[in-house]
Amino acid sequence: MAIVAIDSMVLVWGIRQEGTQEQLQRVRWLFEELQQQDAQIIVPTIAIAEYLTPVARHDHAAVIHDLSQRFIIPVFDVRAASLAAHLFNVGNN
């Protein structure tokens, strides 16, 4: 099973359906491929923050709930940032 992280723009194109026709078509293909692979999709909390920017504050909880039903939203804190940097460096050696 694949584990894939997506960013806020993929959410905008894939969930909100905002973008050019080419962007919408590409993200539709991506989601279909990931579904066929039974992939786990991770959305970093920073991407959630970016995605929520145009959403009214009183709707944040509902949007977060909806996203958490479809995607894994792990907590990303300072320890996670340090580990991510370490893993990035290990992977580039």
Side-chain angles (χ1 to χ4, degrees), residues 71-82:
F71 307 109
I72 298 167
I73 305 174
V75 175
F76 195 80
D77 59 10
V78 174
R79 274 185 54 203
S82 176

Side-chain angles (χ1 to χ4, degrees), residues 16-56:
R16 277 197 203 130
Q17 297 291 300
E18 295 175 4
T20 67
Q21 191 61 33
E22 182 179 349
Q23 290 164 331
L24 299 179
Q25 187 174 5
R26 285 180 181 212
V27 80
R28 193 174 311 117
W29 173 84
L30 174 64
F31 282 160
E32 287 173 3
E33 284 293 312
L34 294 175
Q35 185 175 15
Q36 286 179 2
Q37 296 175 20
D38 197 28
Q40 292 183 341
I41 302 173
I42 295 173
V43 181
T45 51
I46 190 68
I48 300 295
E50 293 168 351
Y51 183 77
L52 289 172
T53 301
V55 176

Side-chain angles (χ1 to χ4, degrees), residues 52-63:
L52 289 172
T53 301
V55 176
R57 174 78 180 190
H58 64 274
D59 292 331
H60 283 194
V63 171

Side-chain angles (χ1 to χ4, degrees), residues 4 47 67:
V4 178
L67 292 173

